[in-house]
Amino acid sequence: MDRQKYSELVNTFFEWHPEDLSLIFSELLSAVVAERSLTPADIMSQNYETARANPEINNRPGNLKDARDAVFPYFWGTDSWNNPLHLENVKGPANQASLIGAIACLLKNPNLCTDRYSQRSNELEIKAITALANLIYYHTDDPSGVFTIGGTISNLYGGRIGIERVVPGAMQFGLQGQRLVGICSEAGHYSNQTVAGWLGLGIRNLIAIPTDQHLSMRLDLLAEKLDELYRDGILVAYICATFGTTDGFGIDDIEGIRKLIDETSARYSVPRPQLHVDAAVGWATVMLSDYDCQQNPLAFTSETLELTRRVQEKNIGLRAADSVTIDFHKMGRGHYPSSAFIVNRRDDLKYLTRSVADTPYFSDADVRRDPAMFTLECSRPGIGPYSVMASLDGIGLTGWQMLVARSLEMAHRLKQKLSELEHCKVLNQTTCGPTVNWWVLPKGRNAEEIYQKWIHNQLSEGQLTVFRREIRQLFDKRLKTMNPALDARLGFTTSYGFRPHRLEIPAWKAVFFNPRTTDEIIDRIVESIAEL
Ligand SMILES: *Cc1c(COP(=O)(O)O)cnc(C)c1O
């Protein structure tokens, strides 16, 4: 081998060259900042044909600028969602404290699989998990958990514990012929199906309980279902309750579910299911748990105080959960992937633990501590803990209270304004979160009347088709005629989570995750609807 060339190669790609790196970093940074002058782009037309047809790579070693050039067009062609007009879905702009954390993480590149590969980064994970657990469970003695690559995987952990709880030994011996189901609500996220499928329960063995108008799981129907299942000798591995449904922010009565499953499983003398709570979207309201509504130190308006009191009441429910999923990369405005799976009692991780004999690769691992002994993943990124601690400490509890309260305030403002229009109907009026779901019908229609008939099943198939079409067509019309520099980008769902008489209800939607969205932008949404 040409040692000269080899050492040039190593020097370029494995030595630190702070100036070269800073230069490229500032170039990339300028490109993001330049987005300020752009409107939130429609997706730039992608060139999948060429992407597949030209997988060639450079032949000769290049330099760091070649690395930059290799990705730059795709980087440029990707919208960061920093624009305050982005309201389509549960994706916000990532916060800058998280950026600092994430960059620090990338510079050291820890692997959270075991202490040996990550040293103090594993300590940071424990700190971040405990900080989040304290917010969620309030006063708790011995919580634990891990960061995963997403809410789906965090939900998978909850389901997996449930299986082991009710079929001990399943990790080793499988389900051993035991019939088993999981339960969620009809407004639950589709990841519940992914989880049931991937856990081997089967998607058909995931039971979705209908929700009421508030998008909460109906406990009367859950009670009936539990009786029916237990009578038939079928075990329930887990209930995945939702704290903040993705579209409408419905919150399940977690304490009610807790009482019901404990009581019913005891009555049938069967092991009680895992009560997992999918708070991927909703968890951030816990920032307001401690807000003093009497003193009102942040000078919230009386309306915001009322919203705060309402979420404080809901937050209490989380304390009844065995385990919780939180996505910091959603309302935490953290970098992907920053999802956490948190158990209230560390002892519950025993349901996932393997022995060192099972993982000879980590023969020196410590079963009591090393995550690799109980995680699904082997290598795990450190982005989550770094993003979370930098964001929590950088922004501070009071900062978070302002951010969360402002999201609630913006959603509330839009709901209020839309309620004044006869041809519009806010569907998730009673939920208290950052999302708004609503209908726009042609002027002259009475949306409330139509809604009442819809939910009481008094519309013909033909009428339903007409209304569904009108709601969609007006959405598309706004999309075609809107001014992209002025009009916010909204989302659309074909079923927002309440399905009376199994009828799906479509909705326009807006998600207020962007702290830079203004009252003017919200008011303009309502004007743009009036102009349709
Ligand atoms: C987004 C979401 C998930 C899935 O989380 P990912 O991080 O996208 O995998 C699960 N549940 C709810 C309620 C969600 O909104």
Side-chain angles (χ1 to χ4, degrees):
M1 190 192 297
D2 182 333
R3 299 302 294 211
Q4 174 64 25
K5 279 194 178 146
Y6 180 74
S7 81
E8 278 167 21
L9 178 74
V10 172
N11 179 46
T12 308
F13 292 104
F14 292 91
E15 285 291 339
W16 292 111
H17 296 288
E19 276 155 30
D20 296 353
L21 288 166
S22 306
L23 177 66
I24 292 177
F25 184 71
S26 23
E27 288 166 347
L28 295 174
L29 197 55
S30 334
V32 199
V33 174
E35 266 186 3
R36 266 197 221 142
S37 57
L38 305 173
T39 56
D42 286 312
I43 300 167
M44 187 180 279
S45 66
Q46 285 138 328
N47 196 349
Y48 285 141
E49 293 78 14
T50 310
R52 287 176 63 89
N54 292 302
E56 292 86 1
I57 58 175
N58 280 344
N59 189 23
R60 294 208 312 207
N63 56 30
L64 299 181
K65 290 178 193 155
D66 293 305
R68 174 200 63 195
D69 295 347
V71 297
F72 192 83
Y74 312 94
F75 172 77
W76 179 248
T78 299
D79 184 344
S80 70
W81 281 52
N82 264 292
N83 196 299
L85 294 171
H86 270 304
L87 306 177
E88 299 98 310
N89 211 337
V90 288
K91 178 179 183 344
N95 80 75
Q96 310 296 19
S98 171
L99 179 68
I100 301 295
I103 289 173
C105 176
L106 292 177
L107 290 175
K108 286 296 185 80
N109 201 28
N111 181 343
L112 301 187
C113 61
T114 68
D115 277 4
R116 174 188 279 260
Y117 298 88
S118 56
Q119 286 123 344
R120 292 205 74 185
S121 293
N122 259 7
E123 182 185 329
L124 187 69
E125 176 171 48
I126 288 172
K127 188 175 161 80
I129 289 285
T130 312
L132 292 171
N134 282 341
L135 287 166
I136 299 243
Y137 291 115
Y138 213 60
H139 295 294
T140 180
D141 301 325
D142 198 21
S144 190
V146 282
F147 280 85
T148 75
I149 54 166
T152 305
I153 307 302
S154 295
N155 285 343
L156 186 87
Y157 275 76
R160 186 65 196 77
I161 288 185
I163 291 180
E164 203 65 25
R165 221 187 246 294
V166 304
V167 186
M171 183 75 85
Q172 292 294 334
F173 304 105
L175 298 183
Q176 304 151 70
Q178 176 61 53
R179 288 163 68 205
L180 210 55
V181 298
I183 293 178
C184 64
S185 89
E186 274 187 353
H189 189 261
Y190 86 95
S191 60
N192 280 294
Q193 275 125 27
T194 311
V195 166
W198 283 63
L199 280 174
L201 285 184
I203 293 173
R204 298 291 169 88
N205 292 317
L206 174 73
I207 295 168
I209 306 290
T211 56
D212 59 22
Q213 282 194 62
H214 315 294
L215 302 170
S216 306
M217 187 188 294
R218 276 184 51 186
L219 294 198
D220 57 330
L221 298 181
L222 174 64
E224 271 173 29
K225 186 50 87 175
L226 286 173
D227 270 324
E228 179 192 321
L229 291 164
Y230 286 148
R231 262 199 316 267
D232 291 347
I234 298 171
L235 290 180
V236 179
Y238 60 88
I239 315 277
C240 183
T242 311
F243 189 89
T245 58
T246 314
D247 283 336
F249 214 81
I251 290 180
D252 288 337
D253 174 3
I254 304 164
E255 287 170 305
I257 295 173
R258 159 63 69 209
K259 267 178 67 183
L260 188 60
I261 59 177
D262 284 2
E263 187 268 323
T264 316
S265 59
R267 185 151 44 82
Y268 286 89
S269 307
V270 292
R272 73 175 178 79
Q274 175 80 358
L275 176 49
H276 180 73
V277 174
D278 180 356
V281 170
W283 70 274
T285 59
V286 298
M287 296 293 187
L288 290 168
S289 285
D290 253 346
Y291 188 74
D292 185 341
C293 290
Q294 293 290 317
Q295 297 290 324
N296 193 18
L298 293 172
F300 289 172
T301 62
S302 58
E303 278 184 333
T304 307
L305 277 179
E306 180 50 30
L307 297 169
T308 303
R309 284 198 195 92
R310 280 170 61 198
V311 299
Q312 285 178 340
E313 225 165 83
K314 295 286 180 193
N315 291 345
I316 295 170
L318 284 168
R319 301 172 201 170
D322 291 319
S323 54
V324 176
T325 289
I326 79 142
D327 272 4
F328 203 82
H329 54 234
K330 286 187 182 150
M331 221 173 152
R333 290 87 162 187
H335 286 79
Y336 299 105
S338 294
S339 180
F341 169 74
I342 303 175
V343 291
N344 197 1
R345 291 165 298 274
R346 178 161 57 159
D347 185 51
D348 282 351
L349 293 178
K350 69 173 181 258
Y351 294 110
L352 303 172
T353 305
R354 323 271 295 279
S355 68
V356 173
D358 290 337
T359 53
Y361 186 76
F362 293 126
S363 57
D364 57 350
D366 182 338
V367 185
R368 287 162 307 167
R369 202 175 60 186
D370 280 320
M373 306 311 288
F374 62 86
T375 53
L376 164 72
E377 309 92 326
C378 175
S379 296
R380 273 189 315 123
I383 297 278
Y386 278 87
S387 162
V388 166
M389 280 321 299
S391 304
L392 289 182
D393 260 350
I395 293 173
L397 183 61
T398 319
W400 282 106
Q401 290 174 339
M402 289 191 271
L403 288 171
V404 174
R406 175 65 191 151
S407 281
L408 301 181
E409 216 171 71
M410 288 192 279
H412 185 70
R413 183 182 184 93
L414 181 59
K415 283 181 180 175
Q416 294 291 91
K417 300 247 161 189
L418 287 168
S419 307
E420 290 162 15
L421 301 177
E422 198 189 37
H423 62 294
C424 293
K425 161 78 189 165
V426 175
L427 300 166
N428 66 334
Q429 190 70 53
T430 58
T431 67
C432 192
T435 53
V436 186
N437 301 155
W438 75 98
W439 282 351
V440 179
L441 285 159
K443 281 190 200 118
R445 292 237 193 263
N446 185 324
E448 179 62 36
E449 224 168 70
I450 293 170
Y451 175 78
Q452 290 304 332
K453 287 190 177 153
W454 193 311
I455 66 171
H456 292 107
N457 206 13
Q458 291 161 355
L459 296 173
S460 68
E461 205 44 58
Q463 286 171 310
L464 285 169
T465 308
V466 169
F467 296 140
R468 283 202 182 103
R469 196 168 53 217
E470 287 177 348
I471 294 165
R472 178 74 219 195
Q473 277 175 347
L474 285 167
F475 183 84
D476 291 339
K477 183 173 176 198
R478 179 178 177 278
L479 204 57
K480 281 205 197 80
T481 54
M482 72 187 222
N483 176 350
L486 201 64
D487 288 317
R489 306 185 76 85
L490 306 171
F492 192 89
T493 171
T494 52
S495 176
Y496 84 106
F498 176 42
R499 293 172 57 201
H501 307 280
R502 318 211 72 73
L503 299 171
E504 302 209 318
I505 302 181
W508 292 38
K509 73 175 176 176
V511 181
F512 292 98
F513 272 17
N514 195 319
R516 292 170 54 239
T517 301
T518 60
D519 287 352
E520 290 69 36
I521 291 175
I522 297 168
D523 297 352
R524 174 67 209 146
I525 295 175
V526 184
E527 280 166 30
S528 74
I529 287 170
E531 286 164 11
L532 283 175

